[in-house]
Amino acid sequence: MASRIDAAQRTAIDMINARAKSSIDVALTRSFLHNTHEEWERRERIIQVLKDDPAFDKSRREFMTRTERYTRGLAMTNRIYELQEIHKWSNEETAVAFASLDEQLPNFLHNVAFQPVFSLQGSPSLVAKYGPQIATRGIIGCYLQTELGHGTNVSQLETTATFIPGTQEFEIHSPNLTSTKWWIGALGKTATYGVVQAKLILPGGKDVGPHLFLVQLRNTDNHNVLPGIVIGDIGPKALGGFSPVDNGFARFSHVRIPKENMLSKFAQVTEEGKYVQPPHAKLSYGGMLYIRANMVTGAGWLMAKAATVSIRYATVRRQGGKDSDGLEKQTITYPSLYIRLLPILSHAYVFIQLGKTLINSFNTMASRLATGDTSLLAEMHATTSGLKVLCSTMGVQDLEVARRSMGGHGYSAFAGLGRLYADYLPSVTYEGDNFVLDQQVVRAALKSFGTLFSSNSPSTSVSSLSPSSQYLRLLLQPAAPLPSPTGDGWGDPAAAILLLEWRAALLVREHAQTADEPDASVYQRVSKAVTEAFVAVQVGEIIKTLTSLPAHDAHVIRSLYTLYLLTTVEAGLVDFLSFGVLVPSNNTGSHDRSVDPARSLRLAINQLCQELLPNAIGLTDAFGFTDWELDSALGVFDGRVYDALWERVQTEPLNQTEVTSAYEESIKPMLLRGQRQAAQSHSKL
Amino acid sequence: MASRIDAAQRTAIDMINARAKSSIDVALTRSFLHNTHEEWERRERIIQVLKDDPAFDKSRREFMTRTERYTRGLAMTNRIYELQEIHKWSNEETAVAFASLDEQLPNFLHNVAFQPVFSLQGSPSLVAKYGPQIATRGIIGCYLQTELGHGTNVSQLETTATFIPGTQEFEIHSPNLTSTKWWIGALGKTATYGVVQAKLILPGGKDVGPHLFLVQLRNTDNHNVLPGIVIGDIGPKALGGFSPVDNGFARFSHVRIPKENMLSKFAQVTEEGKYVQPPHAKLSYGGMLYIRANMVTGAGWLMAKAATVSIRYATVRRQGGKDSDGLEKQTITYPSLYIRLLPILSHAYVFIQLGKTLINSFNTMASRLATGDTSLLAEMHATTSGLKVLCSTMGVQDLEVARRSMGGHGYSAFAGLGRLYADYLPSVTYEGDNFVLDQQVVRAALKSFGTLFSSNSPSTSVSSLSPSSQYLRLLLQPAAPLPSPTGDGWGDPAAAILLLEWRAALLVREHAQTADEPDASVYQRVSKAVTEAFVAVQVGEIIKTLTSLPAHDAHVIRSLYTLYLLTTVEAGLVDFLSFGVLVPSNNTGSHDRSVDPARSLRLAINQLCQELLPNAIGLTDAFGFTDWELDSALGVFDGRVYDALWERVQTEPLNQTEVTSAYEESIKPMLLRGQRQAAQSHSKL
């Protein structure tokens, strides 16, 4: 008994054994995910600087108030810019530093919204005047769009910007409570300037809709709020999310700004107050698409964290029946557990790689847009809308599935995934509410469908289908055989990809034919089918690139991508079955003899999972996260989860005294009352 | 323009109009949900006392640290017991007071775990000695089961209780790190005694498995921890959940307790150290089943809160296209929104009523158990396991669906649903991890299936099927026609109930036939199907009781229950289709001519939703929540959500100064650095 290794020590051995079992080359896979070995090394170097710097210490974070979290967030931000000077980091390297923090920070909005919108839409003279300070954060900005009363429906924003020809100024004004700008990141306590969305009112009262205006918010000398403006923080967010960000509100009372402060690269107002139309109404969409394109990569790396933490914990946690080694089973060996975790791993690999493709496409589009060429805009809009919905919905779900897979300890703040969930949760509503975006995806699909079939010879117009509408080609070949894989057939990614394209085609066609009587959830279903078909085709392309890896590694990673495809097919089974794409194998209409056609798919998925299991740790190690990045007691690299939990718990403020102050205040009176009542009831007997 | 009603004022009018449109008798429906008008009035009276008492003020809650939340929680607890004395509340009335708080409090564990386990399993002499003080909380207790290394698998707990014949004592000991008791509610700072699960070791070293022991933890005079025991709080929980609860850890170093402190109503140790077997190993399960049975009611009322807040907000929030009244549409009118919210309303009505049935069944079982009759135990165990999984999974999901339906503002802490989500989230893992319980449900189902078909004449043994296995009768009638509703046929609840029973029967049979080669998610699917069939039958019974209501009210509520049934069928479509229970209507195997059989179901659901919409506010008002109970700026009774948000936001601590302290520390250095860098780059030009 004495020589027996106890459960806490066992964890480290389990992790070492799991690493020994991995058959892939972790370093090569890491380079695949991080583009090149050099990019990985650069990242390592930057993270080394941060994790040894006290500004980025995470040990007290869970005990802080929101004000403390905000203050710490600003200190980290300032420190990173200081380090940028010290280490002569490029802007890209600085971005890597910020991205390696697991914190939402106010300056994020400066970088992804304020600065791009200002640069893309400001007039050359305005950009010349303010651009340099904005680039170096001599000005800290925010982007004031959403109002208390309006988010999604930008056209109904109520803030006004009235042109005053006499002084060549605009008057920014909040006419009522609901026009208060609301939710604006970095507005509450940080930003000195903002770009304000406001209805442009011409002399005579004509409203030409929302336009953008650069407005100074705070005094550059002492940070006081400028006259006529009321600014504040909108308070804590649900689940403690976005704690360090001062999402704020602002009301404007007849605030005057110079005419030149209108962002007038596209639309303008003349000195006389005449409106000059923008050449293309959509030229201003670039910024939003940039954020959405980046969300795909972001989701991939978040899924990677969820997979790393949960798979590591499931590797060292033993519970339940005895295994062949006489110990309780590692929880990762339970089918009900690995069937939840390995798909998350596959999602991470899909979205990390897909994000790279998407950023490339965005850059191509942006360079064309700069020359006034909007030809790629509609496609980019449809693609990023659908992917934004898919990756944010899936990311939120994966974080929670991973957290829940860790049972009781997953609910500890020290497990680390709850914090990521809380911060990621709003991604399903910001940058376009997912349910609104679904409708835009469907609208684009119906348009492609309509174009294809309104043509007299549809088959000739297949070549005009955009990349994201390629699946519609299938409808032109009614005789084309549908894949109906069984057994080993499911191992071929091509079959699953084609099935997912068929699903999209059939759903779009049915919706086009019944659009006058839609059911209540049709947009979600069609949007999902269309986007999943697009992703499936992209995954097929990614699989082709695996040839750059050694054959065995390529085989394992291909299996992981196949798992993504098959679980996507499984999640879409209702569509496949209700359209008769898959049918019960003995379908006589007599329920008692039919055989479940989903079963061969599910068995193939199980088979794939079992093949992948020995490499689960290797495939997560390949993400390359440090313990500092994960900040999870359950996801520590060495597997010593119980030691890690124990250490973290000792830092809890409640543990700094043996007897709580609530004892004298509340516990003692309660005990004394109870003792008195018990004595009274006893004396009555 | 001046006379136009602005959006903030409009909210109140929208709410008044929505109430005017409700055709049901809200007061009668309220009595239906609260059992009787008298029970409702009692509840009202108690809540009136609490909401006017400063101890229960919620206005600063969102800004508190965990230590402050804990301290406040104890103060509320003490105050309720004080009010109990003042107002001479019965224990039941006191329970109503606690249940009306939207707080998890340490004493909950005393009430639902420590006290019942002690009473049910303590020897008569031990109960006589400690019972009165436990009942009045002269002793505050906790229940120490889970350890750092073991939760689900109780049989592997490592804490030991070694019998010492010489002194007639037990020695409680934690032999290693992983045997540390962990997660124990009220242990960290509050409880004075605990019931400890520990392996009973007899003289000679024989281990007879986990048993229960009453152990004093803290000194009664000064609350100091007793010698040999190390106690602490395990730190913050994910998402800020369970903040006021001191979930704790404890390690015991050879702590001696008298022999009489073993809870020995069933199993005993003689003075010589001989073990006396319990008459029935499962006699001790009662307590756990009680908690699970209560979880159904709890889930129902939580879904009721989610429905009330989200439906109220969706009634006054206007966004997007213009309606016939020239205003933007109320968001509740969007199909993609009401299809998410009305099912939550239906879930609430189902689980509130089902919870009452279940408590009655539990009481019947408990009174039989007290006489040693265990005949109802297995059935109660199977039923409560399945329902616990279903109601907790659905409750967590509904809270998030409701929160997400409120778009951006739903992510504000002041929206109120995030807090409920954080507190409810662990329900999917505590009291039996849902994924483990699924297996128990399936095991029970397979056992019933096996019994039925191992008999020589199965048709005669139908009468022996337990209530939760009745669906298996269908397998004995292979010729019985399956319902295949279309169009209006979906309006009949009986058809949906029968379908859900068929699904359970077919899934259990398939699983029984393929149990040697299961796929990885089969337990979840079978467990869900079995439990949903049970609930469907119960819903059929509830519908029968509606005759006590006026005909119109009964009709509306019946539609709501039908919505529950149809959306459950829709969520199970994969099973219905893959078993050929529903088939594409023109199923020639040629995908291009088949017709989606799910469509008539989805249209029927949409139709039902539209019928229910005018009563959505009335049906939520009938829950009877006060604004104090909901504590949601978006769920206020009068609909003035924007005024409510504005008021709450002004209390944010960050708003108490115009310039944050982070300005001098971090923002100013950042601005100055940026200005310097901009100037430098300018001078280089």
Side-chain angles (χ1 to χ4, degrees):
Chain A
M1 287 293 280
S3 70
R4 197 180 143 207
I5 293 164
D6 77 19
Q9 298 166 280
R10 182 78 225 170
T11 55
I13 299 171
D14 283 335
M15 189 57 85
I16 289 167
N17 289 344
R19 292 218 163 86
K21 259 189 242 163
S22 286
S23 60
I24 60 160
D25 184 326
V26 171
L28 280 181
T29 310
R30 205 171 52 201
S31 300
F32 166 73
L33 293 167
H34 289 274
N35 293 319
T36 61
H37 183 65
E38 289 64 38
E39 271 196 46
W40 158 254
E41 282 188 327
R42 184 181 70 172
R43 198 168 169 282
E44 275 276 89
R45 213 170 51 237
I46 293 165
I47 286 172
Q48 196 59 44
V49 171
L50 300 184
K51 82 187 175 70
D52 294 337
D53 190 312
F56 307 102
D57 171 61
K58 300 177 180 182
S59 65
R60 307 299 306 166
R61 175 166 59 168
E62 299 293 347
F63 313 129
M64 289 180 168
T65 64
R66 227 199 107 216
T67 300
E68 290 165 341
R69 291 288 302 278
Y70 168 73
T71 307
R72 172 175 172 269
L74 262 301
M76 290 193 291
T77 309
N78 180 41
R79 180 63 181 155
I80 285 191
Y81 288 121
E82 195 170 40
L83 289 169
Q84 180 179 29
E85 274 203 332
I86 295 171
H87 297 283
K88 300 195 169 41
W89 286 342
S90 66
N91 283 338
E92 213 181 343
E93 286 170 316
T94 307
V96 169
F98 275 112
S100 76
L101 299 179
D102 54 346
E103 289 283 357
Q104 300 294 333
L105 296 175
N107 68 310
F108 181 72
L109 285 306
H110 175 104
N111 298 336
V112 303
F114 175 76
Q115 188 174 1
V117 165
F118 176 83
S119 309
L120 283 167
Q121 303 195 43
S123 68
S125 62
L126 199 68
V127 170
K129 183 170 176 187
Y130 291 102
Q133 292 216 56
I134 288 174
T136 57
R137 281 151 307 276
I139 282 173
I140 302 177
C142 60
Y143 179 62
L144 300 95
Q145 178 170 303
T146 307
E147 296 175 356
L148 185 53
H150 288 91
T152 305
N153 191 10
V154 176
S155 70
Q156 292 295 309
L157 293 175
E158 296 175 285
T159 303
T160 52
T162 307
F163 184 59
I164 317 287
T167 57
Q168 294 288 303
E169 289 176 314
F170 290 102
E171 188 181 277
I172 308 292
H173 185 60
S174 313
N176 52 33
L177 175 64
T178 49
S179 71
T180 308
K181 292 293 177 186
W182 205 267
W183 276 109
I184 315 304
L187 167 61
K189 309 304 289 183
T190 316
T192 55
Y193 281 72
V195 165
V196 177
Q197 276 262 21
K199 290 194 293 193
L200 171 54
I201 310 290
L202 302 177
K206 192 181 177 200
D207 170 1
V208 291
H211 286 73
L212 300 172
F213 303 86
L214 180 70
V215 181
Q216 183 173 354
L217 303 171
R218 286 180 179 268
N219 186 313
T220 333
D221 296 328
N222 55 16
H223 217 54
N224 283 340
V225 176
L226 293 189
I229 310 181
V230 175
I231 284 182
D233 181 281
I234 64 157
K237 272 74 72 173
L239 312 175
F242 270 65
S243 275
V245 180
D246 53 330
N247 297 89
F249 67 83
R251 301 190 66 165
F252 300 93
S253 177
H254 304 285
V255 172
R256 295 286 183 99
I257 58 168
K259 175 177 178 295
E260 61 165 15
N261 277 26
M262 176 172 167
L263 302 197
S264 55
K265 184 162 175 190
F266 302 120
Q268 296 180 35
V269 174
T270 67
E271 288 180 14
E272 299 75 34
K274 291 240 178 332
Y275 184 65
V276 182
Q277 292 269 6
H280 189 297
K282 289 173 181 166
L283 277 174
S284 59
Y285 279 17
M288 190 173 60
L289 299 189
Y290 175 72
I291 298 181
R292 288 191 197 153
N294 269 298
M295 282 179 73
V296 173
T297 305
W301 284 105
L302 210 51
M303 293 160 178
K305 283 190 177 177
T308 303
V309 169
S310 57
I311 288 174
R312 283 183 181 169
Y313 181 63
T315 299
V316 302
R317 176 75 169 177
R318 289 177 176 270
Q319 198 84 180
K322 293 287 165 73
D323 213 343
S324 53
D325 55 9
L327 300 169
E328 288 174 278
K329 286 184 192 167
Q330 293 167 278
T331 59
I332 190 83
T333 63
Y334 288 94
S336 69
L337 201 80
Y338 64 65
I339 195 62
R340 288 180 272 159
L341 298 187
L342 294 179
I344 300 175
L345 185 61
S346 79
H347 300 165
Y349 273 71
V350 167
F351 285 99
I352 287 171
Q353 295 303 99
L354 186 57
K356 297 174 190 173
T357 318
L358 204 63
I359 297 290
N360 288 341
S361 305
F362 176 83
N363 289 336
T364 307
M365 184 211 71
S367 60
R368 295 236 204 135
L369 210 56
T371 67
D373 172 1
T374 59
S375 61
L376 296 176
L377 197 57
E379 170 73 358
M380 194 70 197
H381 186 257
T383 311
T384 56
S385 297
L387 286 174
K388 187 270 178 183
V389 173
L390 189 67
C391 76
S392 60
T393 308
M394 196 178 262
V396 167
Q397 187 177 304
D398 284 352
L399 283 167
E400 171 56 13
V401 168
R403 192 202 63 73
R404 210 176 285 191
S405 79
M406 301 192 289
H409 292 328
Y411 189 56
S412 167
F414 301 134
L417 294 187
R419 184 179 56 247
L420 297 179
Y421 178 89
D423 280 348
Y424 193 58
L425 192 54
S427 67
V428 295
T429 24
Y430 65 51
E431 301 307 329
D433 184 286
N434 283 4
F435 289 89
V436 175
L437 291 181
D438 279 334
Q439 294 175 39
Q440 300 183 7
V441 174
V442 174
R443 199 172 303 137
L446 287 181
K447 197 174 161 195
S448 298
F449 179 86
T451 308
L452 191 63
F453 288 97
S454 67
S455 153
N456 283 336
S457 56
S459 58
T460 63
S461 60
V462 170
S463 58
S464 70
L465 285 173
S466 67
S468 68
S469 318
Q470 281 300 317
Y471 63 91
L472 289 171
R473 78 187 181 282
L474 298 170
L475 296 175
L476 299 174
Q477 308 158 335
L482 260 171
S484 54
T486 52
D488 291 349
W490 285 113
D492 176 16
I497 295 167
L498 191 53
L499 271 175
L500 289 165
E501 289 196 275
W502 265 111
R503 177 176 67 141
L506 295 172
L507 264 167
V508 168
R509 185 177 64 185
E510 187 192 54
H511 180 49
Q513 289 166 348
T514 60
D516 53 337
E517 195 190 16
D519 67 72
S521 60
V522 69
Y523 296 111
Q524 283 75 62
R525 294 200 314 282
V526 175
S527 167
K528 192 173 166 68
V530 166
T531 307
E532 287 183 345
F534 176 77
V535 173
V537 172
Q538 300 296 316
V539 167
E541 297 300 314
I542 295 169
I543 288 176
K544 288 179 195 158
T545 68
L546 296 177
T547 47
S548 65
L549 290 167
H552 175 72
D553 299 50
H555 174 78
V556 171
I557 297 175
R558 182 177 185 275
S559 295
L560 191 61
Y561 284 117
T562 308
L563 180 65
Y564 167 81
L565 293 169
L566 296 196
T567 51
T568 306
V569 171
E570 194 200 359
L573 271 176
V574 169
D575 298 329
F576 294 113
L577 290 161
S578 65
F579 281 110
V581 172
L582 294 175
V583 289
S585 65
N586 184 358
N587 186 11
T588 61
S590 167
H591 51 86
D592 59 323
R593 274 177 295 156
S594 61
V595 174
D596 180 355
R599 191 168 145 77
S600 79
L601 171 61
R602 292 190 179 121
L603 289 178
I605 289 172
N606 195 22
Q607 177 67 35
L608 259 184
C609 285
Q610 289 177 351
E611 278 174 44
L612 284 164
L613 272 178
N615 277 303
I617 285 294
L619 288 164
T620 50
D621 280 352
F623 296 126
F625 293 118
T626 58
D627 283 349
W628 173 79
E629 285 169 276
L630 294 174
D631 191 27
S632 162
L634 303 187
V636 286
F637 183 81
D638 67 7
R640 295 180 177 276
V641 298
Y642 300 121
D643 295 314
L645 262 182
W646 176 260
E647 277 169 33
R648 290 298 295 265
V649 159
Q650 307 314 314
T651 62
E652 159 65 43
L654 280 171
N655 291 339
Q656 307 318 310
T657 57
E658 183 173 336
V659 176
T660 167
S661 66
Y663 173 66
E664 286 294 335
E665 287 168 35
S666 307
I667 297 174
K668 193 173 177 183
M670 202 157 28
L671 292 168
L672 292 177
R673 182 185 308 112
Q675 285 155 15
R676 170 171 52 76
Q677 289 176 343
Q680 283 168 349
S681 79
H682 188 259
S683 66
K684 280 185 197 155
L685 293 179
Chain B
M1 290 294 276
S3 71
R4 194 178 145 211
I5 294 165
D6 77 21
Q9 298 168 281
R10 181 78 225 170
T11 55
I13 299 171
D14 283 336
M15 190 56 84
I16 289 168
N17 289 344
R19 293 217 162 86
K21 259 190 242 164
S22 287
S23 60
I24 59 159
D25 184 325
V26 170
L28 280 182
T29 309
R30 204 170 53 202
S31 301
F32 166 73
L33 292 166
H34 289 271
N35 294 319
T36 61
H37 184 65
E38 289 64 38
E39 272 197 45
W40 158 254
E41 281 189 327
R42 184 182 69 172
R43 198 168 168 281
E44 274 276 89
R45 214 171 49 235
I46 294 165
I47 286 172
Q48 196 60 43
V49 171
L50 300 184
K51 82 184 175 71
D52 294 339
D53 189 313
F56 308 102
D57 171 61
K58 301 177 180 180
S59 65
R60 307 299 304 168
R61 175 167 57 170
E62 300 292 348
F63 313 130
M64 289 179 170
T65 64
R66 227 200 108 213
T67 300
E68 291 166 339
R69 290 289 301 279
Y70 169 73
T71 307
R72 171 175 172 270
L74 262 301
M76 290 194 291
T77 308
N78 181 40
R79 180 63 179 155
I80 286 190
Y81 289 122
E82 194 169 41
L83 289 168
Q84 180 180 29
E85 274 204 331
I86 295 171
H87 296 284
K88 300 192 171 45
W89 286 341
S90 66
N91 284 339
E92 214 182 341
E93 286 169 316
T94 307
V96 169
F98 276 110
S100 77
L101 298 179
D102 52 347
E103 290 283 358
Q104 300 295 333
L105 296 174
N107 68 310
F108 181 71
L109 285 307
H110 175 104
N111 298 336
V112 304
F114 175 75
Q115 188 174 3
V117 165
F118 176 82
S119 310
L120 283 167
Q121 303 195 43
S123 67
S125 62
L126 199 70
V127 171
K129 183 171 176 186
Y130 292 103
Q133 291 214 54
I134 289 174
T136 56
R137 283 150 307 276
I139 283 173
I140 302 177
C142 59
Y143 179 63
L144 300 95
Q145 178 169 301
T146 307
E147 296 175 355
L148 184 52
H150 288 91
T152 305
N153 191 11
V154 176
S155 71
Q156 292 295 310
L157 292 174
E158 297 175 286
T159 304
T160 53
T162 306
F163 183 58
I164 317 287
T167 56
Q168 295 288 305
E169 289 175 313
F170 290 101
E171 189 182 275
I172 309 291
H173 186 59
S174 312
N176 53 32
L177 176 63
T178 49
S179 72
T180 309
K181 292 293 175 185
W182 206 267
W183 275 111
I184 315 305
L187 167 62
K189 310 304 288 184
T190 316
T192 55
Y193 280 72
V195 166
V196 176
Q197 277 260 22
K199 291 194 291 192
L200 172 54
I201 311 290
L202 301 178
K206 192 182 177 200
D207 171 1
V208 291
H211 287 74
L212 300 172
F213 304 86
L214 180 69
V215 181
Q216 183 172 354
L217 303 170
R218 287 180 179 266
N219 186 313
T220 335
D221 297 327
N222 56 16
H223 217 53
N224 283 341
V225 176
L226 292 190
I229 310 180
V230 176
I231 284 182
D233 181 281
I234 63 158
K237 272 75 69 174
L239 312 174
F242 270 65
S243 275
V245 180
D246 53 329
N247 297 88
F249 67 83
R251 301 188 68 164
F252 300 92
S253 176
H254 305 284
V255 173
R256 297 284 182 100
I257 58 169
K259 175 176 177 295
E260 61 164 15
N261 276 25
M262 175 173 168
L263 303 198
S264 55
K265 187 165 176 189
F266 303 120
Q268 297 179 34
V269 175
T270 67
E271 288 180 14
E272 299 75 36
K274 291 244 177 332
Y275 184 64
V276 182
Q277 292 268 3
H280 189 297
K282 289 175 179 165
L283 277 174
S284 58
Y285 280 19
M288 190 174 60
L289 299 188
Y290 175 73
I291 299 181
R292 289 191 196 151
N294 269 297
M295 282 179 73
V296 173
T297 306
W301 285 104
L302 210 52
M303 293 161 177
K305 283 190 178 176
T308 303
V309 168
S310 57
I311 289 174
R312 282 183 182 169
Y313 181 63
T315 299
V316 303
R317 176 74 170 178
R318 288 175 177 270
Q319 197 84 179
K322 293 285 165 76
D323 212 343
S324 53
D325 56 9
L327 300 168
E328 288 174 279
K329 286 184 191 166
Q330 293 166 276
T331 58
I332 189 80
T333 63
Y334 288 94
S336 69
L337 202 80
Y338 65 63
I339 195 64
R340 288 181 274 158
L341 299 186
L342 295 178
I344 299 176
L345 186 60
S346 79
H347 300 165
Y349 273 71
V350 167
F351 285 98
I352 288 171
Q353 294 304 99
L354 186 57
K356 298 175 190 172
T357 317
L358 203 62
I359 297 290
N360 288 341
S361 306
F362 176 83
N363 289 336
T364 306
M365 185 213 67
S367 59
R368 295 235 205 137
L369 210 55
T371 68
D373 171 2
T374 59
S375 60
L376 296 176
L377 197 57
E379 169 74 358
M380 195 69 199
H381 186 258
T383 312
T384 56
S385 297
L387 286 174
K388 187 270 178 181
V389 174
L390 189 68
C391 76
S392 59
T393 309
M394 196 178 261
V396 167
Q397 186 176 307
D398 284 352
L399 283 167
E400 171 56 13
V401 168
R403 191 203 63 73
R404 208 175 286 191
S405 79
M406 301 192 289
H409 292 328
Y411 189 56
S412 168
F414 301 133
L417 294 188
R419 186 178 55 246
L420 297 181
Y421 178 89
D423 280 349
Y424 193 60
L425 191 54
S427 67
V428 294
T429 23
Y430 65 51
E431 301 308 328
D433 184 287
N434 283 3
F435 289 90
V436 175
L437 291 181
D438 279 334
Q439 294 175 36
Q440 301 183 5
V441 174
V442 174
R443 200 173 303 137
L446 287 181
K447 197 175 162 195
S448 297
F449 179 86
T451 307
L452 192 61
F453 288 96
S454 68
S455 155
N456 283 334
S457 57
S459 58
T460 61
S461 61
V462 170
S463 57
S464 70
L465 285 173
S466 67
S468 69
S469 318
Q470 282 299 317
Y471 64 90
L472 289 171
R473 76 187 183 282
L474 298 170
L475 296 175
L476 299 174
Q477 308 158 338
L482 262 171
S484 55
T486 52
D488 291 348
W490 285 112
D492 176 15
I497 294 167
L498 191 53
L499 270 175
L500 289 165
E501 290 195 274
W502 264 110
R503 178 176 66 141
L506 294 172
L507 264 166
V508 167
R509 185 177 63 186
E510 187 191 52
H511 180 51
Q513 290 166 347
T514 60
D516 53 336
E517 196 190 15
D519 67 71
S521 59
V522 68
Y523 297 111
Q524 284 74 63
R525 296 200 313 283
V526 174
S527 168
K528 194 173 163 70
V530 166
T531 308
E532 287 183 345
F534 176 78
V535 174
V537 172
Q538 299 295 316
V539 167
E541 297 300 312
I542 295 169
I543 288 176
K544 288 179 196 160
T545 69
L546 296 177
T547 47
S548 66
L549 289 167
H552 174 73
D553 299 51
H555 174 78
V556 171
I557 296 175
R558 184 177 183 274
S559 295
L560 191 61
Y561 284 116
T562 307
L563 180 65
Y564 167 81
L565 294 169
L566 296 195
T567 50
T568 306
V569 171
E570 195 200 0
L573 271 175
V574 169
D575 298 328
F576 294 113
L577 291 160
S578 63
F579 281 110
V581 173
L582 293 175
V583 289
S585 65
N586 185 356
N587 186 10
T588 60
S590 166
H591 52 84
D592 59 325
R593 275 176 294 158
S594 63
V595 175
D596 181 355
R599 190 167 146 76
S600 79
L601 171 60
R602 292 190 179 122
L603 289 178
I605 290 172
N606 196 22
Q607 177 68 34
L608 257 186
C609 285
Q610 288 177 350
E611 277 173 43
L612 284 164
L613 272 178
N615 277 304
I617 286 294
L619 287 165
T620 51
D621 280 351
F623 296 126
F625 292 118
T626 58
D627 283 349
W628 172 79
E629 285 169 277
L630 294 174
D631 192 27
S632 163
L634 303 187
V636 286
F637 184 81
D638 67 7
R640 295 182 177 276
V641 297
Y642 300 120
D643 296 313
L645 262 181
W646 177 260
E647 276 168 34
R648 290 299 294 267
V649 160
Q650 307 314 313
T651 62
E652 160 64 44
L654 281 170
N655 292 338
Q656 306 318 309
T657 57
E658 182 171 335
V659 175
T660 167
S661 66
Y663 174 65
E664 286 294 335
E665 287 167 35
S666 307
I667 298 174
K668 193 172 176 183
M670 201 157 31
L671 292 168
L672 292 177
R673 181 185 308 111
Q675 285 155 17
R676 170 170 52 75
Q677 289 175 344
Q680 283 168 350
S681 80
H682 189 258
S683 66
K684 282 186 198 154
L685 293 178

